Structure formats: structure tokens, C-alpha cells
Amino acid sequence: MSLDLFLRPCSLALIGVSRKTGDGSNVLENLLYYGFQGRLYPVNPYASEILGIKAYASVKEIPEPVDLAVVSTPRNIVPEVIDECLEKGIRAIIVVAQGFADSGEEGKQLQEALVARARRRGARILGPNTFGVANAFINLNTAFVRFPLERVPIGSLANSGVLFAGTTRLQLIGKAIDLGNACDLDFPDGLEYFENDPEVKVIALFMERVKDGRRFLEVARRVALKKPIVALKTGRTDLGVRLAQSHTGALAGSDQVYEAAFKQCGILRAQDFGEFEDLIFSFLRLSPPRGKRLVVLTITMGAGVMAADAAVAHGWELPPLPSGVKERIARFFPDWMDVGNPIDLGITQFSPYGRKDAFAEILNVVMSEDLYDAVLIITPLGSAGGFIPSLARESERHKDKPIACWLYAPDPAREMEREYMKIPRVVVYPTIERAIRSLTRIREYELFRNRVTL
Amino acid sequence: MSLDLFLRPCSLALIGVSRKTGDGSNVLENLLYYGFQGRLYPVNPYASEILGIKAYASVKEIPEPVDLAVVSTPRNIVPEVIDECLEKGIRAIIVVAQGFADSGEEGKQLQEALVARARRRGARILGPNTFGVANAFINLNTAFVRFPLERVPIGSLANSGVLFAGTTRLQLIGKAIDLGNACDLDFPDGLEYFENDPEVKVIALFMERVKDGRRFLEVARRVALKKPIVALKTGRTDLGVRLAQSHTGALAGSDQVYEAAFKQCGILRAQDFGEFEDLIFSFLRLSPPRGKRLVVLTITMGAGVMAADAAVAHGWELPPLPSGVKERIARFFPDWMDVGNPIDLGITQFSPYGRKDAFAEILNVVMSEDLYDAVLIITPLGSAGGFIPSLARESERHKDKPIACWLYAPDPAREMEREYMKIPRVVVYPTIERAIRSLTRIREYELFRNRVTL
């Protein structure tokens, strides 16, 4: 059975959808808001219509065929709802509720019974404990929280809804499957689906565990050669593993096993959310550099030194400018200055040597020949806007050369962060890892100070 | 001589200030914009007044005593300007120009001559190759670039102007000294000044090298016991060291030596700009946790697993909720749910279990007793606003407990980043390290793929 029934359904039954609207948690309301064009059948025995759309007391009363059922009822009536879906001939079913394998023995048995029922009728279940699916390309999102949809060519597979919301930098819903407890549909199914999906260029995995390791490796190895697979594997520590087990009710397995397996099949493992979003962004937007020759253009040489450190530590070379190239850009610099790589653009931005065309010309020169394989631009936010036209032009001219940027200076636009930071003794961090590391280090310092002064 | 002449001057001579205004690079214009209240004496032989303020042909013509001279002339006339300053009796002099020890042998000799001149008259020189000083508490900033000033209790010492601009998250100019080439004033001088400055709580070092290692260690060791010193030491690799040398004309020394020295004297070394701003933020705003018991409140258990991983990896404990505490918050959760730590708040946010008061009550309970030493809050941006009142209240009640937050979901407010990301084949990264790491990994993947498929 193709997962198209889940990701490209023509008709949806929304079973257990609430009459309550207006708070962003009504699936029907959200689908109308996104502009989903398929047929929608709300099922709620206490309503004859919801938001002007005819409601049915049971899925069996729907007069047309239904591709996908989104079951949002409390867990205790899920089994009978599933039975009705199967009788109706529905072959793709999303079970939203928590309280199955994620909550002890009774829930686990309930979950197993669901799967057994569905298998007998050739139906597939996504979940339980899931937001369901999203496909921005057809304005579909079954999550009971309203998220912005953006048509980015990312296919996400996750044991958690966190990817639906996206990270602090990135909207990750192009297409997404929240596997939840993964009682039936699991990572290999999703990988095989995205493997041949022309709307997906990068596959993102947010993984707590995989059940059928052998099949996962077999599929991942094949898919990784076609499209980059970026993985954030959580449940790394003993506690994390235990939590992942109770979160989705599955054994998580040793982290070293995953590490080795990922490496073997070419999955790119990210160490934290920061690297996860970096890698997804990078694969989505950059051509791979053809070699390891990097040129750095920086407004401040202090940051240029940092860039050289980081580049060398990662195996890059920063070849100096050939003399011919130096001559072509010499007019932007004072005589006594020896222009190197990183190129210190600071002096070209301010009087007496300031020249408005310096950045554009220098970028053009260093990108125009086969001198460098990748470009790193470092500039304060305040100067960044002026560089956009030249960046756009050169990027268009040299499609094989990736351009990475660091825009520094405080960004007053990050409003919610600023609101939080107004509260004393509260700090917002860009990633969880950075939050934990920071708490650790302020504690260590206190211990250091006490030890020395006592 | 106290550095008060540099950081709290009552009168400034601005030597070589341009008549050109309006582009943010005129020091006089910037100081008026900031609202600096001291006396200002522009010196420019070609102007009788600039921006309505009387200008002098030479510093010697200024009829009043001058605390601090900012010398912005091209390097070739700096020596004679310094002589005039010394004759005028000025004892604090900032030399802005590049082209001294940062640019070869001739520049190095020029620089040595300046220092020798100043020493004979008991004057101190800051720079050359510097933005000078900033002190937001008196609206002072001598940089020839206009930056926002914020009265944060951070004292910054740097070999580069990058700290004046601040990072992507943080304004680092409470008070700042850009040491530039550090021909005379160097890190130990700044440390000693900030040591007893009640307006400075955290000291930030952006360091390429220090000249007098022994004095630095002696001073840093003493100061680190009074105030946290956070350091970003660049020039780590051979190339970085060479660049740092040519950037400020001083020997940078082995990175291992710095590493050991920092550890010995209790300086907190950051690995990259991200950690640098995290640590400064943290020391500025958080009390050190009294123990290692962490409680995590999260809207998504997927992120809760990540938090547990990170916490355990850094030596934290996540003690479960005592049964009495569980009873007090049981009403917010379904019967079948075993509430642990991390506390999964997801279910409390949505129907049928959604309760508006859940976050406030649960936060109150877990913070109110001596159960935990630190709190980590994980929430999507969309829910974050509603939590502010309870966070503010509990933070006020429990001043010894730090609260760290991760707010996820894409932030549409980051406008410049979004503008850059519209350009094909351009990616903006939050730090240099992350930019380099990402470029590296897309290349590695390409190599992997070619190796396997060839």
C-alpha cells in the first residue's frame, strides 16, 4: 500500500473532532485555514454540522469513500472506532491519542490489539500518540496545533511532534510523518516513500528508536545514496533511553549501535538541534564544495582569525590570493596593507579608504576564477543588507560554490526572546544542549570559587 | 594612572574628526547622538566648526584641559599628533589607525616610537588599530561605527572590534576596551580596572594574545575569584596564530599554554561565539544552581528526551517527582499517565485535558520546595507568551534557582536572515563554527556518495 493515502489523501474523515473552535486546536478548522482542497467529513455524534460542514454520527454513515481517517477520540473508544473505519473500507488510519504503549502494560495491550485488527484488513495505522501527517504542497496538516506550512523540499520522519513546530530557525514541514509510538508505520516506510518523492530533496529523521533495525539499515543505505538523510537520534544516555521507551513504548537500544549503523549507511548524524537545522539548511540550499579551498571575506579581522581556526580544525585550506588577483583589488586597500585570506574588508567600509563598490568587486574577483571552492562572509547585521545584490549575482553565476554567512550584532527583532530575558534569572538559549552546558558551567565556576576561597 | 581617564573622561579631544557626517562613521556625530555629556573638542585644521561645535586647528589650541584624546588621523601624521597631545598634557590617548605593528616592520617601528614618546611623559596609549572605548553608563563610545549602547554590567576587553558590535544575541557594550595592537594598555590593565568597577559584574575577554603572560595570570587569578571572566581565545590553529600575529602584530603563543593557564586561574574558556554569549548571558542573569537536581517542564516529550540526554551527559540528575508533589498536580493529567521528570506538559495544553492554569500551578509546585536546583522550560514560541507571568512570579520567589529556556519554532522576526536565505545557495549560520562544520559535512557526504557509487 502506498503512503499516498496518508500524504496525498483526497478525502479525510475527522473522527472525534470537537465542536469547539477558535483556539487553533480544531483539526477541521485548521485544515480549512490551510486551504486543504480534499473532501472533509467531520464525525461527531453530538453535532449535525461543524463550521458549516455536515457532521456524521459515525464514520460508517459517510456516503463517499474515505482515503484517510484521523481518529482524535480518547483512547478508550479508539478500538471500536478503528473497527468502524475498517468496516467502512478505510485503509489509512491515524490514531492521535496518547495512553497506549507510551503508558504501561494496559496501554501496550490496547495498542497491539489495534494493529492486529488493522493487519487483518490490510489497513495501516500511523501512531498512536501522534500529530499525524503534514504535506505543505497540498495544504494538509492533521496536527491539533496550528503551525505555519511552508513548501520546503524536506521530508521529516519523527517519533515526536517537535519537528512539526520546527526549530528556532527552520520550518521543517514540507512533508512530515509523526510516527509517534510507531505501532505499525515506522522509519523504513517513511524512507521508502520519500526516496522517490520528487518534492523531497532532504530527509530529516528525529529518531528515538527504530524497531526493525535490519530493514531500516537496508532501506537507509539505499536511500542515502539518492538523498541526504540527516538524523537527530535522541535517547543517548541511559535516562534518555528509559524516557524514550516510556515516551513511545519501544526499546531504544544502545547509542553506539546507532552511531555505527548511521555511519555505515551514510546517514548524517547531528549532535544537537543546532547542528540538525544547520545540516538540513545546508543540504537544502548549498551545492557541495568541489574541494577544500575556502576564501573568507570579513568586516572584522578578529572574526577572520576565528574563521581560520575553525576552518583549519575541519581540514580546510585558506590559500592566499594569487598576485594577479591582489593587483585587481589593490585599489581598495592602502599601500601598506598586505591583503590576505581571510580578506579584511573593514578598511574598505569606512573613510578614508571606504568605497561602496568594494564588496561587490572583491566578491566578484575571488569567485570568478577557479580559485576557491567555498566562500564564508562575515559581516555585522548593519552592513549586511547592502551586500545582498552582489551575493545574489555571484551566487547565480557560480552555482557550484556554496556561500556561508555569519551576520553578527544583536538582532532586535527577536522579540519573544527579549521578553523572556526581561524576567530576572531567566535565560533563553538557542538549543537545549547550550542551555544545559551553560547551567553546568555556572555551577562549576561557583564550585571553583568556593574551593579556592574556602 | 587610573583608566578612568579612558572610561570616564570629562573632556574629549577628537583629533582628525571628519567634516563629513550622516553615515554613522563620524565620532563627534555619534557621541552627540548617544548623548555623551562631557566636553567635546573637535580638532580639524580645515574646519572652524563641525556640527555646530567649534573646531580647533590643533589640540594645543584647546583652551581647557583634556582628559582623553581620540586620534583618528591617518598613520603618517600620528607621531606629531601624539607629540602635540603630550605637550598639551593629555595622559590618555587612543590611536585609531591601522598600519602599525599590524602591517610589517615599518609599522612596527612607528608603533614602538609612539610608546616610547608616551612613556617618557607618563601618558598611556590605547591601540593602535582600535575602536577605542565604550561606556554605556555615560553614553560614551569612541568607535567610528555607530552601535547601540545598553547599560549591561559587562566589561569587555578585546583585541578586536567585534565585541563592540555584539553577537547575534547579545549587546556586549556595557563597558568595553578595544585593545587593538595593545602597544601599551593590555588585558591586565583592563582586568584590574574592571575588578573594582561596581558597574561590571561579568568580564568578557576576546583574546588573540597577551604579551606579559606572568602579569596576566597573576591579575586574572585574583580577579576571577571576584567576578567571572569568560574568554574566547582565538588564534588556536597554526594559521589562526599567524593571522593573529599579523592582525595585531604580537606573538600569539601556543594554544595549550593558554588552555592550561585559563584553567589554572579560573577563566571560563568558551569554545566558540555561541558558547561565549551563552556564558556571558548566564553569569549575568542566573544564580548558580546549588546542586545538580534539574527539573524539566516540556510541551513535547521528544524534546524532553533530548534534555535528559544533555543533562545526564553533563552530570545532572533528574530526580522523579515525590508522590506528594505528584498528588498536588495529578488533576492536570489523565489517570493513566505516569507523570515523571521531564514533566510532559503537552497534554495539559490541549483538549480534552487542557487547562489554562496548568503551567503556572505545576511550576509553582516544583519550584516551591527544596526539590530542584535548576529549571529547564521547553516550549514552542507560540505558547511562550502565556508563560511569562508565572515565570516572572516564580523567579522572584526563588532567586537562588536559575531558569533556562528553549523556545522553538521558526522565528519570523529574524528578517535579515530571511532576506539572505532568499538568495539561492546562501545559508546564514548562527556561529562561524557552525558554518564551517556544515560546509565540511556537505562535502563529506558528497565524498561518501561518490566513493560508494563509483
Side-chain angles (χ1 to χ4, degrees), chain A residues 13 112 124 129 134 326:
Chain A
E112 281 165 9
R124 305 290 311 257
N129 191 12
K326 272 194 190 178

Side-chain angles (χ1 to χ4, degrees), chain A residues 167-169 224 235-236 269 273 275 278 282 285 309 384 395 409-410 413 420-421 423-424 428-429 434 441 445, chain B residues 167 169 224 235-236 269 275 278 282 285 306 309 384 395 407 409-410 413 420-421 423-424 428-429 434 441 445:
Chain A
T167 70
T168 40
R169 307 179 62 224
R236 306 175 72 124
R269 184 175 191 171
F273 234 101
E275 191 177 9
D278 290 346
S282 303
R285 304 181 51 80
D309 280 345
S395 150
Y420 265 59
M421 298 294 248
I423 309 171
V428 178
Y429 297 92
R434 284 169 65 171
R441 296 201 66 184
Y445 172 73
Chain B
T167 70
R169 306 179 63 224
R236 304 175 73 125
R269 183 174 193 174
E275 190 175 10
D278 289 346
S282 303
R285 304 182 51 83
M306 290 167 65
D309 280 345
S395 151
L407 311 182
Y420 265 59
M421 298 294 246
I423 309 171
V428 178
Y429 296 92
R434 283 169 65 173
R441 296 201 66 185
Y445 172 72

Side-chain angles (χ1 to χ4, degrees), chain B residues 41 56 74 100 269 278 295 304 311 341 396 420 450:
Chain B
Y41 303 106
Y56 299 86
F100 290 89
R269 183 174 193 174
D278 289 346
V295 64
N341 177 18
E396 196 54 39
Y420 265 59
N450 292 340

Side-chain angles (χ1 to χ4, degrees), chain B residues 71-107:
Chain B
V71 181
S72 308
T73 63
R75 75 164 190 176
N76 59 319
I77 63 163
V78 168
E80 65 186 87
V81 170
I82 297 272
D83 282 340
E84 291 178 355
C85 288
L86 296 171
E87 279 177 46
K88 169 73 186 161
I90 300 175
R91 294 171 62 216
I93 302 169
I94 295 170
V95 179
V96 173
Q98 288 178 256
F100 290 89
D102 50 294
S103 73
E105 200 45 44
E106 191 194 338

